[in-house]
Amino acid sequence: MNTWGGDMHELRADGLLIVGDEASPDHEPPIIGVSACGNDHGKELCCRTGYALQEAAKQLEAYSWFFVLDDDVYVNVHNARQALLYRDPDDLIALGIPSCGPEDAAGFCGGAGYIISQASLRKIMARSGEAFQSDLMGNLVGGAYGLVWDDLSISGVLKRNGVHLEQLDGLYGWQLDNSQELEDGYASAIMATDPLPITFHYVTSRQNEMLVFCPDSYNACL
């Protein structure tokens, strides 16, 4: 909220919906709590993500696109808008990095973020929010050691509803270097024009604050 999130909330050109395991009604914007889900990074995260999409669907007619993000992701909102200019929110599409998971259940690498079109969100919620949640939690995608993944599980719901998962360039789902600062690993990505950088995952608080100054000049970050 001290960087890109605060700008979005203040300008109100886009909506910002925050969902967590505990409610915080005094936060701006309020944090919607779904304590019934729990707070682990497996099945309970799948549950929370499902409820987040149900909350987003309550504003379905207000927005053309719905961007699902973790809380440790930096977003260049301007570049995200640019990437969507020539795409149609009436298409059954979702955009991200659709190359994670086992071959028979491949889906989005969710840490980079993924964007669901208005038509796609409408389709997966067509019967009801409860039916969507039941489908999600009844078909969780997992792997070794009993782990399940919310990004692959949501991808499964999208695909079962005829939504096409498409690659969106400019999403960085993994750290580009191991520093707490922004070193050369980020330089080419930050200053790129093709593709424009949209998200950086696993950013620290320090990096998040520095990234605010980077789109115009990488040197401003150093």
Side-chain angles (χ1 to χ4, degrees), residues 158-170:
L158 291 166
K159 291 190 289 185
R160 286 192 294 277
N161 282 274
V163 177
H164 184 243
L165 308 189
E166 296 185 4
Q167 176 75 29
L168 178 63
D169 294 331

Side-chain angles (χ1 to χ4, degrees), residues 79 83 167-172 188-198:
N79 288 351
Q167 176 75 29
L168 178 63
D169 294 331
L171 306 180
Y172 295 89
S188 60
I190 290 169
M191 298 306 296
T193 57
D194 186 17
L196 292 170
I198 298 172

Side-chain angles (χ1 to χ4, degrees), residues 117-130:
S117 72
Q118 184 191 72
S120 298
L121 187 58
R122 179 180 291 110
K123 182 70 180 293
I124 65 175
M125 297 291 174
R127 289 185 294 161
S128 68
E130 292 77 12

Side-chain angles (χ1 to χ4, degrees), residues 59 97 99 122 132 169 194 217-218:
Q59 303 180 48
I97 303 176
S99 57
R122 179 180 291 110
F132 156 78
D169 294 331
D194 186 17
S217 171
Y218 178 70

